[in-house]
Amino acid sequence: MHRIFGAKKEKDPPPSIQDSSDRINKRGENVDDKIKKLDAELARYKEQIKKTRPGPAQEAVKARAMRVLKQKRMYEGQRDMLYNQTFNLDQVAFAAEGIKDAQQTMTALKAANKDLKGMMKTVKIQDIDNLQDEMMDLMDMSTEIQETLGRSYNVPDDIDEEELMGELDALEMDMESESHGVPSYLQADKESDLEAELNLPSAPTGPAAVPAGRTNAQADDELGLPAVPRASIRG
């Protein structure tokens, strides 16, 4: 049967966007090369027109230059058309790449969603709340233990805070007076109170009286007492 009707030929796969873009770009490069050759030929004709005098010869050169210029315009139109096709293919390729990226992103998100669901099965909100409550209780117990261990045994519990504040203020006043160089217990008002309590007589200011029976041969010392006679020094 295959020999009579022939075997069915397999169809070639359709060209990809990149293949089409490469082929069009190659055609555009060929057109650019032709345009460059025509530009060189036009430059040569311009020099000939400048060198020839007006007349039939110059008109013939101008006619050839016009023909080359028309070819150049035609090739430029083809090049622009090819460039437009390449731009359209690039836009399609960009869109196709964007869709592929979106597909990969969706696949990755689905896999991550599946993993998260599996992990969430092992973690429960109630267990987290219970753990937090236990941690708070342990912290409270730790604070209570630290306060108990840091309690002072010598300080009574029934101390009046106002009395302590009064003593603290008096201590600060004493420190301020001492900072000025005169202790509080040596101030003038304290001295007058001390003298009034003791009621001592005032000290004598005149010279001390010398007893009548005492001769002038014995001198008195600085305290008003008879001086001790010195022993004679024998040689």
Side-chain angles (χ1 to χ4, degrees):
M1 295 294 292
H2 291 290
R3 293 179 180 178
I4 298 174
F5 297 101
K8 185 178 180 181
K9 295 182 180 181
E10 295 181 358
K11 293 182 180 180
D12 295 333
S16 63
I17 296 175
Q18 187 63 38
D19 294 337
S20 299
S21 180
D22 294 339
R23 182 163 51 84
I24 293 174
N25 287 329
K26 188 175 181 180
R27 288 179 59 192
E29 291 175 357
N30 293 331
V31 174
D32 286 335
D33 293 336
K34 291 180 180 180
I35 292 174
K36 289 179 181 179
K37 291 179 181 180
L38 293 176
D39 287 335
E41 190 174 356
L42 283 173
R44 188 172 63 253
Y45 288 152
K46 288 180 180 179
E47 292 295 329
Q48 290 179 4
I49 291 172
K50 290 180 181 179
K51 293 178 180 180
T52 56
R53 296 179 179 178
Q58 189 181 39
E59 293 296 331
V61 176
K62 288 182 179 181
R64 288 195 295 271
M66 289 296 295
R67 185 178 67 253
V68 174
L69 185 59
K70 289 180 181 179
Q71 291 178 0
K72 179 185 175 183
R73 294 291 175 81
M74 181 185 66
Y75 285 132
E76 287 177 351
Q78 292 179 0
R79 184 186 61 184
D80 293 340
M81 182 179 62
L82 293 173
Y83 284 165
N84 290 332
Q85 292 179 4
T86 304
F87 177 76
N88 294 333
L89 288 174
D90 291 340
Q91 292 294 321
V92 174
F94 181 79
E97 291 296 330
I99 293 174
K100 289 181 181 180
D101 293 339
Q103 290 176 349
Q104 292 179 358
T105 303
M106 288 297 297
T107 303
L109 288 176
K110 288 180 180 179
N113 189 18
K114 184 178 180 181
D115 293 338
L116 286 174
K117 288 181 178 179
M119 288 186 291
M120 290 301 293
K121 291 180 180 179
T122 60
V123 178
K124 295 181 180 179
I125 302 298
Q126 186 64 35
D127 294 339
I128 296 175
D129 292 337
N130 294 334
L131 180 61
Q132 291 290 336
D133 294 338
E134 291 179 0
M135 290 297 296
M136 292 298 294
D137 293 338
L138 291 175
M139 292 300 294
D140 293 338
M141 292 175 62
S142 176
T143 303
E144 186 176 356
I145 291 172
Q146 295 295 328
E147 291 178 354
T148 303
L149 293 176
R151 185 181 301 170
S152 178
Y153 299 103
N154 295 327
V155 179
D157 296 334
D158 56 349
I159 295 178
D160 189 2
E161 293 184 0
E162 294 182 358
E163 182 179 355
L164 291 177
M165 291 300 296
E167 293 181 4
L168 181 60
D169 294 338
L171 180 60
E172 290 180 353
M173 292 176 64
D174 291 340
M175 292 176 64
E176 289 179 358
S177 61
E178 290 178 1
S179 63
H180 290 83
V182 180
S184 61
Y185 59 85
L186 295 179
Q187 294 180 0
D189 53 352
K190 298 295 182 179
E191 292 180 354
S192 60
D193 295 340
L194 182 60
E195 291 179 356
E197 291 177 0
L198 295 177
N199 196 11
L200 295 177
S202 60
T205 58
V210 180
R214 183 177 301 175
T215 62
N216 294 329
Q218 293 180 352
D220 296 336
D221 59 3
E222 58 184 1
L223 298 178
L225 299 176
V228 179
R230 297 181 180 179
S232 61
I233 301 174
R234 295 179 181 180

